[in-house]
Amino acid sequence: MNVKSTALALAATLLLAACAPRSDMDRYIDDLMSRMTLEQKIGQLNLHSAPGFVSAARVTEEDENVKLLRAGRLGGLYGTGNLEYIRRMQEIALESGAGIPLITGMDVIHGYQTVFPVPLALSTSWNTELVEQTARIAATEASASGINWVFSPMVDICRDARWGRIVEGGGEDPYLGGELAKAYVRGYQGTDGIYDDHDVMVCVKHYALYGGAEAGRDYNSVFLSRQEALNGYMRPYQQAACAGAASYMSSFNEFEGIPASMNKYLMDDLLRKAWGFGGFIVSDATAIAEEVNHGIGDLQEVSARSLQAGLDMDMNSDGFVGTLQKSLAEGRVTEADIDRACRRILEAKYKLGLFENPFKYLDATRSVKEIYTPEHLAFARKAAQESMVLLKNNGVLPLRKDARIAVVGPLAKDGSAMAGTWSMSDHNDESVTPYEGIAEVAKASYAEGSWLFKDKELEESVRFGLFKIFRPGYTAPAIHTVPQERLIAEAVAKARQADVVVACVGEIANLNGEGASRTDISVPDAQEELLKALKATGKPVVMVLVTGRPLTLGWEDAEMDAILNVWSPGSEGGHAIADVLFGDVNPSAKLTTSFPRNVGQLPLYYNHKNTGRPHPDDEPYRKFVSCYIDEINAPLYPFGYGLSYTTFAYSPITLSAPEMPVDGSVTASVTVTNTGSRAGDEIVQLYIHDVFATSTRPVKELKGFRKVHLDPGASVRVDFTLTKEELSYYNHGLQWVCEPGDFEIMIGPNSRDTDGTVLRVIG
Ligand code: NOJ
């Protein structure tokens, strides 16, 4: 990203482009654009949501989108997988204006009709092949539903669990985030560079730095230096571009005082010129109009500036379609600005094959055969099994199948909580619940146990707020109809008759995700009251934690006998929970976000800087060093942490050579042994620390990981190759450099418990 080399590369690309023969696609689009009116070109830059969001809307001539289509003023639609609706709209698109087919998008985030664990959960599998396969299946189901463009992957790095959208991403680490981003792109788009009818275009979001929202409040401003942004946050976006991502979605936040959707540095300088991205960029929903609130100008001004900064498509603001013609007349944008954006969108449609066959993704026979199949559901079960993190176990797990089990808690029978946020499936409520999964295997009783929150109004707005916005005329059902004391008494009675209690508590789907920031990230109060009452029975209590974010679990960690964090595990959640609880599957997932002890520690992340007055993470307060009076610095559960039903031992780390020329390579190795009595998977993690550098460097940075399977007593040697790529960073001048000197190389089962040695890099 060195400025000089970027400029040279750009000059070379322009020269090559000028000399290169026009491709078939270029000629096709040249011809098409030569026949399009200005209004039709601007129309291509306009994206709207389908009416009723996901409802099967009937198409009438009064429909706003139909009117726009007829006038050639709509380039794409999103938010529905209703095949008949999309087919009719596609027919209208072909009959109207320049006869250009629509691109059809959808928020396919963690599966489509078959629901996989939420993305944060999937990331804890550290299994990029598994993640790729979930995206592959989602692409199959989406493309069988008329969708050719998915608003995924969400690759925002987040260090603050107050932000509800932490659930949609891959956690706090840029290296792991980059590997996951590539896996998603491969899964959705396929790997051969050609879109067949089972491949869909991705839309990488939210570009950029949305996860850095100040204080974890959604949509909030981001205050990061360019250097910290590049080192700590950008890699996943960049890796997605390297993997061939077709489109990006600009984010709601500002960066360096400029809203992302009009930020030339982000869109043009970095994404396009430095990373070589050649696709199109769409704004997030109403993000252009929101630039008025950011205080930049009126809708005409912000639309013009967004286009000039490199944004190509306007989602739901009607800023481009409503003002660009006027701006052109007034000389505030040029025809070349409009042509450039239009061409990028037409190229995407061409690559999708929509000009050849506008009905390519509208095969009704596929929609009955390829969606929500037993094979897809079986894979959802596997994905969920690999995405559950065992946070604590005093030996109560795995459970015996002949035990009498009291399954209690407000989430024990909640299918939609299993599906989680951003699930657009028609089958959310059918997701297998913890109770159903457990009752299939063992003798189980059930009690609801508690409300979600003691505050009725709060619970109502969390449960039903979303429906009130998207379902006109929606009437919320009554809640808190049974007193909390009675619910608890029933659960306690069931617990007393059982050998063991499984308490299913945490966050329902609407308690995380978009517009769901929290200042208190503990288990909601009414549910905590239930846990305390269960504990008082003296029965062993296993907490099944349903959540989309790290929670503060200090009391639970001290008092519960076991904690299995199942996140929102998807369609097959309940089966996978039973698989793990009863030991048919040995848990192997490891956290990709630090779990704080106290919300006041946030933002909290393992790859922090050292400060001039560092203080050991686990030592109590001391004056004049970097710590808190009332809490230690260490997280409750660190990045990379997760337990198994077996144990693993690590040998000391060895290097193939103690020194490495800056252009050379070195292998770092450990031998890992399964020292327990069950077969299990271990996620082996490699971290580095640049001891002295010209800029300050994090105390640890993940640079490699391997997932290995080991039978009891078996050992495996795990090798990691290190080159200057793993040891480089963006220095103060924003150059990607590997600075000679000493590097600590550390390997271990999580970011806390590593063993290290020193590698000298020679310049
Ligand atoms: C807003 C969200 O931020 C984004 O993630 C989503 O893709 C769009 N709405 C479209 O639904």
Side-chain angles (χ1 to χ4, degrees), residues 722-752:
L722 289 167
T723 66
K724 73 172 176 203
E725 181 59 22
E726 286 73 36
L727 306 179
S728 293
Y729 77 107
Y730 290 100
N731 67 9
H732 197 63
L734 305 184
Q735 290 145 331
W736 179 245
V737 290
C738 174
E739 297 176 336
D742 285 354
F743 288 79
E744 274 181 77
I745 309 298
M746 297 159 273
I747 301 183
N750 61 61
S751 63
R752 183 188 58 202

Short mmCIF file of all heavy atoms in Angstrom, two decimals, residues 722-752:
data_model
loop_
_atom_site.label_atom_id
_atom_site.label_comp_id
_atom_site.label_asym_id
_atom_site.label_seq_id
_atom_site.Cartn_x
_atom_site.Cartn_y
_atom_site.Cartn_z
N LEU A 722 6.73 -19.54 8.54
CA LEU A 722 6.74 -18.08 8.74
C LEU A 722 7.59 -17.43 7.67
O LEU A 722 8.71 -17.89 7.39
CB LEU A 722 7.33 -17.74 10.11
CG LEU A 722 6.45 -18.10 11.29
CD1 LEU A 722 7.25 -18.03 12.59
CD2 LEU A 722 5.24 -17.18 11.37
N THR A 723 7.06 -16.42 7.06
CA THR A 723 7.81 -15.62 6.08
C THR A 723 7.63 -14.16 6.47
O THR A 723 6.93 -13.85 7.43
CB THR A 723 7.26 -15.81 4.66
OG1 THR A 723 5.94 -15.27 4.62
CG2 THR A 723 7.23 -17.27 4.24
N LYS A 724 8.18 -13.28 5.65
CA LYS A 724 8.03 -11.87 6.01
C LYS A 724 6.57 -11.43 5.96
O LYS A 724 6.19 -10.47 6.62
CB LYS A 724 8.93 -10.99 5.14
CG LYS A 724 8.51 -10.80 3.72
CD LYS A 724 9.41 -9.75 3.09
CE LYS A 724 9.05 -9.62 1.62
NZ LYS A 724 10.12 -9.08 0.82
N GLU A 725 5.75 -12.14 5.22
CA GLU A 725 4.33 -11.79 5.14
C GLU A 725 3.68 -11.83 6.54
O GLU A 725 2.95 -10.92 6.92
CB GLU A 725 3.63 -12.77 4.18
CG GLU A 725 2.16 -12.54 3.95
CD GLU A 725 1.82 -11.17 3.37
OE1 GLU A 725 2.70 -10.53 2.76
OE2 GLU A 725 0.67 -10.72 3.60
N GLU A 726 3.97 -12.88 7.29
CA GLU A 726 3.37 -13.01 8.63
C GLU A 726 3.98 -11.99 9.61
O GLU A 726 3.37 -11.68 10.63
CB GLU A 726 3.60 -14.42 9.21
CG GLU A 726 2.74 -15.51 8.60
CD GLU A 726 3.16 -15.88 7.19
OE1 GLU A 726 4.39 -15.88 6.90
OE2 GLU A 726 2.27 -16.15 6.36
N LEU A 727 5.19 -11.52 9.29
CA LEU A 727 5.89 -10.65 10.25
C LEU A 727 5.79 -9.17 9.88
O LEU A 727 6.40 -8.33 10.54
CB LEU A 727 7.37 -11.08 10.32
CG LEU A 727 7.58 -12.58 10.64
CD1 LEU A 727 9.07 -12.93 10.67
CD2 LEU A 727 6.96 -12.95 11.98
N SER A 728 5.06 -8.86 8.84
CA SER A 728 4.97 -7.47 8.38
C SER A 728 3.78 -6.75 9.01
O SER A 728 2.83 -7.37 9.50
CB SER A 728 4.81 -7.43 6.86
OG SER A 728 5.98 -7.90 6.24
N TYR A 729 3.84 -5.44 8.95
CA TYR A 729 2.72 -4.61 9.42
C TYR A 729 2.79 -3.27 8.72
O TYR A 729 3.77 -2.95 8.03
CB TYR A 729 2.80 -4.44 10.95
CG TYR A 729 3.85 -3.45 11.41
CD1 TYR A 729 3.48 -2.20 11.89
CD2 TYR A 729 5.20 -3.75 11.34
CE1 TYR A 729 4.43 -1.28 12.31
CE2 TYR A 729 6.17 -2.84 11.74
CZ TYR A 729 5.78 -1.60 12.24
OH TYR A 729 6.73 -0.69 12.62
N TYR A 730 1.74 -2.46 8.87
CA TYR A 730 1.73 -1.11 8.30
C TYR A 730 2.41 -0.18 9.28
O TYR A 730 1.92 0.02 10.39
CB TYR A 730 0.29 -0.65 8.01
CG TYR A 730 -0.32 -1.42 6.87
CD1 TYR A 730 -1.19 -2.47 7.11
CD2 TYR A 730 0.03 -1.13 5.56
CE1 TYR A 730 -1.73 -3.21 6.06
CE2 TYR A 730 -0.50 -1.86 4.50
CZ TYR A 730 -1.37 -2.89 4.76
OH TYR A 730 -1.88 -3.62 3.73
N ASN A 731 3.55 0.38 8.85
CA ASN A 731 4.28 1.27 9.74
C ASN A 731 3.64 2.66 9.76
O ASN A 731 2.59 2.89 9.15
CB ASN A 731 5.76 1.31 9.35
CG ASN A 731 5.98 1.98 7.99
OD1 ASN A 731 5.06 2.57 7.42
ND2 ASN A 731 7.20 1.90 7.49
N HIS A 732 4.30 3.56 10.41
CA HIS A 732 3.72 4.89 10.58
C HIS A 732 3.48 5.59 9.24
O HIS A 732 2.56 6.39 9.09
CB HIS A 732 4.64 5.74 11.47
CG HIS A 732 3.96 6.94 12.01
ND1 HIS A 732 2.88 6.87 12.86
CD2 HIS A 732 4.17 8.25 11.78
CE1 HIS A 732 2.47 8.07 13.15
NE2 HIS A 732 3.23 8.95 12.51
N GLY A 733 4.34 5.25 8.26
CA GLY A 733 4.15 5.82 6.92
C GLY A 733 3.18 5.00 6.07
O GLY A 733 3.09 5.21 4.86
N LEU A 734 2.49 4.08 6.68
CA LEU A 734 1.49 3.20 6.05
C LEU A 734 2.11 2.28 5.00
O LEU A 734 1.44 1.86 4.06
CB LEU A 734 0.33 4.01 5.44
CG LEU A 734 -0.37 4.98 6.39
CD1 LEU A 734 -1.55 5.64 5.69
CD2 LEU A 734 -0.85 4.26 7.65
N GLN A 735 3.39 1.98 5.18
CA GLN A 735 4.01 0.99 4.29
C GLN A 735 3.98 -0.38 4.97
O GLN A 735 4.17 -0.46 6.19
CB GLN A 735 5.47 1.37 4.00
CG GLN A 735 5.57 2.59 3.13
CD GLN A 735 6.77 3.44 3.51
OE1 GLN A 735 7.19 3.45 4.67
NE2 GLN A 735 7.32 4.13 2.54
N TRP A 736 3.78 -1.38 4.17
CA TRP A 736 3.72 -2.77 4.66
C TRP A 736 5.17 -3.25 4.77
O TRP A 736 5.83 -3.47 3.75
CB TRP A 736 2.92 -3.57 3.64
CG TRP A 736 2.74 -5.03 3.91
CD1 TRP A 736 3.22 -6.06 3.15
CD2 TRP A 736 1.96 -5.64 4.95
NE1 TRP A 736 2.80 -7.25 3.67
CE2 TRP A 736 2.02 -7.03 4.78
CE3 TRP A 736 1.23 -5.13 6.03
CZ2 TRP A 736 1.38 -7.93 5.63
CZ3 TRP A 736 0.59 -6.02 6.88
CH2 TRP A 736 0.67 -7.41 6.68
N VAL A 737 5.68 -3.38 5.99
CA VAL A 737 7.12 -3.66 6.16
C VAL A 737 7.35 -4.78 7.15
O VAL A 737 6.59 -4.96 8.11
CB VAL A 737 7.87 -2.41 6.68
CG1 VAL A 737 7.95 -1.33 5.62
CG2 VAL A 737 7.26 -1.87 7.96
N CYS A 738 8.43 -5.50 6.90
CA CYS A 738 8.93 -6.45 7.89
C CYS A 738 10.25 -5.86 8.41
O CYS A 738 11.20 -5.74 7.64
CB CYS A 738 9.16 -7.81 7.25
SG CYS A 738 9.95 -8.98 8.37
N GLU A 739 10.27 -5.47 9.64
CA GLU A 739 11.46 -4.81 10.19
C GLU A 739 12.34 -5.84 10.90
O GLU A 739 11.88 -6.52 11.82
CB GLU A 739 11.04 -3.71 11.16
CG GLU A 739 10.24 -2.61 10.46
CD GLU A 739 9.71 -1.53 11.40
OE1 GLU A 739 9.55 -1.82 12.61
OE2 GLU A 739 9.44 -0.44 10.93
N PRO A 740 13.58 -5.96 10.46
CA PRO A 740 14.49 -6.94 11.08
C PRO A 740 14.59 -6.73 12.59
O PRO A 740 14.39 -5.62 13.08
CB PRO A 740 15.82 -6.67 10.38
CG PRO A 740 15.45 -6.05 9.08
CD PRO A 740 14.22 -5.25 9.34
N GLY A 741 14.92 -7.81 13.27
CA GLY A 741 15.03 -7.76 14.73
C GLY A 741 14.41 -9.02 15.33
O GLY A 741 14.18 -10.00 14.61
N ASP A 742 14.15 -8.98 16.62
CA ASP A 742 13.64 -10.17 17.31
C ASP A 742 12.12 -10.23 17.30
O ASP A 742 11.44 -9.21 17.53
CB ASP A 742 14.12 -10.18 18.75
CG ASP A 742 15.59 -10.54 18.85
OD1 ASP A 742 16.18 -10.90 17.80
OD2 ASP A 742 16.15 -10.44 19.95
N PHE A 743 11.63 -11.42 17.05
CA PHE A 743 10.19 -11.69 17.13
C PHE A 743 9.98 -12.85 18.10
O PHE A 743 10.66 -13.87 17.98
CB PHE A 743 9.63 -12.11 15.76
CG PHE A 743 9.53 -10.98 14.78
CD1 PHE A 743 10.67 -10.54 14.09
CD2 PHE A 743 8.32 -10.35 14.53
CE1 PHE A 743 10.60 -9.50 13.19
CE2 PHE A 743 8.25 -9.30 13.63
CZ PHE A 743 9.38 -8.87 12.95
N GLU A 744 9.04 -12.70 19.03
CA GLU A 744 8.65 -13.86 19.84
C GLU A 744 7.67 -14.68 19.01
O GLU A 744 6.72 -14.12 18.44
CB GLU A 744 7.92 -13.40 21.09
CG GLU A 744 8.80 -13.06 22.25
CD GLU A 744 7.93 -12.64 23.42
OE1 GLU A 744 7.35 -13.53 24.07
OE2 GLU A 744 7.79 -11.43 23.61
N ILE A 745 7.92 -15.98 18.96
CA ILE A 745 7.01 -16.88 18.24
C ILE A 745 6.36 -17.76 19.31
O ILE A 745 7.07 -18.44 20.07
CB ILE A 745 7.78 -17.76 17.23
CG1 ILE A 745 8.68 -16.89 16.33
CG2 ILE A 745 6.83 -18.63 16.43
CD1 ILE A 745 7.96 -15.89 15.47
N MET A 746 5.04 -17.72 19.38
CA MET A 746 4.34 -18.43 20.46
C MET A 746 3.28 -19.37 19.89
O MET A 746 2.60 -19.02 18.92
CB MET A 746 3.64 -17.41 21.36
CG MET A 746 4.60 -16.47 22.06
SD MET A 746 3.79 -14.94 22.61
CE MET A 746 3.93 -13.92 21.16
N ILE A 747 3.19 -20.54 20.48
CA ILE A 747 2.16 -21.50 20.06
C ILE A 747 1.42 -21.98 21.30
O ILE A 747 2.04 -22.15 22.37
CB ILE A 747 2.77 -22.69 19.29
CG1 ILE A 747 3.51 -22.19 18.04
CG2 ILE A 747 1.69 -23.70 18.90
CD1 ILE A 747 4.11 -23.28 17.17
N GLY A 748 0.13 -22.20 21.19
CA GLY A 748 -0.62 -22.70 22.34
C GLY A 748 -2.06 -22.96 22.01
O GLY A 748 -2.51 -22.77 20.87
N PRO A 749 -2.81 -23.39 23.04
CA PRO A 749 -4.22 -23.74 22.84
C PRO A 749 -5.16 -22.53 22.87
O PRO A 749 -6.33 -22.66 22.57
CB PRO A 749 -4.51 -24.65 24.03
CG PRO A 749 -3.56 -24.21 25.09
CD PRO A 749 -2.34 -23.72 24.40
N ASN A 750 -4.65 -21.38 23.29
CA ASN A 750 -5.45 -20.14 23.27
C ASN A 750 -4.48 -18.97 23.38
O ASN A 750 -3.26 -19.17 23.50
CB ASN A 750 -6.47 -20.14 24.41
CG ASN A 750 -5.81 -20.22 25.77
OD1 ASN A 750 -5.04 -19.34 26.15
ND2 ASN A 750 -6.09 -21.30 26.50
N SER A 751 -4.99 -17.75 23.35
CA SER A 751 -4.08 -16.59 23.31
C SER A 751 -3.39 -16.34 24.65
O SER A 751 -2.42 -15.59 24.71
CB SER A 751 -4.87 -15.35 22.89
OG SER A 751 -5.86 -15.05 23.84
N ARG A 752 -3.89 -16.96 25.72
CA ARG A 752 -3.29 -16.73 27.05
C ARG A 752 -2.18 -17.74 27.36
O ARG A 752 -1.10 -17.37 27.82
CB ARG A 752 -4.39 -16.85 28.11
CG ARG A 752 -3.92 -16.57 29.53
CD ARG A 752 -5.04 -16.90 30.52
NE ARG A 752 -5.48 -18.29 30.40
CZ ARG A 752 -6.68 -18.74 30.81
NH1 ARG A 752 -7.56 -17.92 31.34
NH2 ARG A 752 -6.99 -20.02 30.66
#
